[in-house]
Amino acid sequence: MNIDQETFATFRQEVKDGFSQIQQSLRSNDSRLSSMDKRLDSMDKHIDFMDKRFDSIDKRIDTLNIKLDDTTRRLSSRLDMLQSEVTFLHRSVYKIEDKLGSLETKISSLATRVGSLETTVESLGIKVDAHRQETLSSYASIGDIFTKLMDNQDQFENRLTKLEAA
């Protein structure tokens, strides 16, 4: 299978452009795809090497086609793997969103309960203040009664002393 140089140059440029686009889309997933980037960089170096040896490319075109087919299969395999990882990430994000929704509901419920507790505490504070006032009033009444009893005791002692003296 012979390919003329212009067709090959166009093909090579399309491959370069394709690899550049793939590299850009894969860089967004650097943490998981760094090894793929290294391999793609290695492939870019290989393509640059082929540019320098363009005179001998006609002799090696069949070998290059085989290498490109292999690379395409590996890239396709890697892209399938990436797609499954993205699907997994989407599922994980949906699960997290569901859990966050559940937590928001629980937090809202707790906020309502805290509000109810605040109202109950305020009500208890009012009742405690009222009870304190009643207690203070009762102690004041008891104090008045003791004062009267002490006055009456003094009067009884005076009467008793007068009766004993008589």
Side-chain angles (χ1 to χ4, degrees):
M1 166 190 242
N2 284 337
I3 298 176
D4 64 5
Q5 290 183 356
E6 183 179 327
T7 303
F8 180 73
T10 302
F11 175 73
R12 187 182 74 241
Q13 187 59 42
E14 287 176 3
V15 169
K16 274 187 169 181
D17 292 345
F19 283 133
S20 295
Q21 290 174 357
I22 289 170
Q23 283 179 331
Q24 288 174 354
S25 67
L26 293 179
R27 282 201 175 98
S28 64
N29 294 316
D30 276 323
S31 63
R32 292 193 178 169
L33 301 175
S34 62
S35 66
M36 185 182 284
D37 283 340
K38 289 177 184 176
R39 289 180 182 153
L40 288 174
D41 289 342
S42 174
M43 290 169 61
D44 281 339
K45 290 176 185 177
H46 184 69
I47 290 172
D48 289 340
F49 175 74
M50 288 189 310
D51 282 340
K52 293 175 185 174
R53 302 209 36 188
F54 189 71
D55 293 335
S56 65
I57 207 72
D58 288 333
K59 297 175 187 174
R60 298 177 52 191
I61 197 74
D62 290 337
T63 305
L64 180 62
N65 282 332
I66 292 170
K67 287 181 180 181
L68 286 174
D69 288 343
D70 184 49
T71 302
T72 301
R73 280 191 299 275
R74 288 186 300 169
L75 183 58
S76 176
S77 173
R78 289 182 193 138
L79 289 173
D80 289 343
M81 184 177 71
L82 177 62
Q83 179 61 38
S84 71
E85 288 178 5
V86 167
T87 301
F88 175 76
L89 286 174
H90 280 284
R91 288 181 188 146
S92 297
V93 167
Y94 292 139
K95 287 178 184 177
I96 290 170
E97 287 174 346
D98 288 343
K99 287 180 181 179
L100 284 175
S102 171
L103 287 174
E104 286 175 349
T105 303
K106 288 178 183 178
I107 288 171
S108 175
S109 172
L110 287 175
T112 303
R113 289 178 71 190
V114 166
S116 172
L117 287 174
E118 287 175 350
T119 304
T120 302
V121 167
E122 287 176 15
S123 173
L124 287 174
I126 292 169
K127 288 180 182 178
V128 165
D129 286 342
H131 183 68
R132 186 180 319 123
Q133 288 295 57
E134 287 178 29
T135 303
L136 289 174
S137 296
S138 295
Y139 281 134
S141 298
I142 291 171
D144 291 344
I145 290 171
F146 275 119
T147 302
K148 288 179 184 176
L149 284 175
M150 294 300 276
D151 289 344
N152 284 340
Q153 183 182 2
D154 288 342
Q155 289 174 1
F156 285 130
E157 284 180 8
N158 286 338
R159 281 186 178 169
L160 206 87
T161 306
K162 285 182 184 178
L163 284 175
E164 286 177 352

